[in-house]
Amino acid sequence: MTSIDIVSGSRRWTANIEDSPSARDFLVQLPLTLTLNDYAGNEKIADLPRPLSREGAPDAITPRAGDLAFYAPWGNLAVFYRDGHHSPGLIRLGRLQGDVAEFGGKEPFPVTIRQAERSE
């Protein structure tokens, strides 16, 4: 399983990325610097440079707090800090570890997303 780091200032979150065509396509785009904006009071979103593969993806998922996902109709990355509703076109890419409540709040914030450094 591949891990990524999401860094904003002194804050850092780690996510485990699934082994799927969509997730692999996401990893190829790293590192990314994005500004996450609040959407619907339960997720932070940002546009990706290009759409991800939908190969083998389910038609819809019900996201849970901690899910990292791709919303195919808009081409954006979504980080869920609260549970969401069943959403057609939403593809889970992975899961954040630890407390995701820090993603909450209306203020946008910049993040850098990169593959996690491996400790040997």
Side-chain angles (χ1 to χ4, degrees):
M1 182 171 293
T2 301
S3 294
I4 63 167
D5 288 330
I6 301 173
V7 180
S8 180
S10 62
R11 298 179 292 180
R12 183 180 77 122
W13 301 270
T14 299
N16 293 321
I17 302 301
E18 296 181 358
D19 184 17
S20 70
S22 301
R24 287 190 297 273
D25 206 15
F26 172 66
L27 291 172
V28 169
Q29 294 188 32
L30 301 182
L32 290 170
T33 299
L34 305 169
T35 297
L36 297 176
N37 293 286
D38 200 68
Y39 183 77
N42 68 328
E43 64 187 283
K44 286 285 197 274
I45 64 171
D47 292 334
L48 290 174
R50 64 175 177 77
L52 304 180
S53 170
R54 297 178 73 177
E55 179 187 340
D59 291 333
I61 65 167
T62 303
R64 300 287 175 232
D67 281 348
L68 181 69
F70 172 65
Y71 186 57
W74 293 354
N76 66 277
L77 181 69
V79 180
F80 286 85
Y81 58 88
R82 290 193 180 125
D83 293 349
H85 58 85
H86 194 70
S87 301
L90 191 64
I91 301 166
R92 186 175 293 111
L93 301 174
R95 275 260 338 125
L96 280 99
Q97 300 173 3
D99 186 11
V100 295
E102 288 182 304
F103 282 92
K106 297 292 181 193
E107 294 300 313
F109 61 91
V111 295
T112 298
I113 305 172
R114 62 182 183 232
Q115 287 204 22
E117 296 177 11
R118 294 180 183 199
S119 54
E120 303 292 328

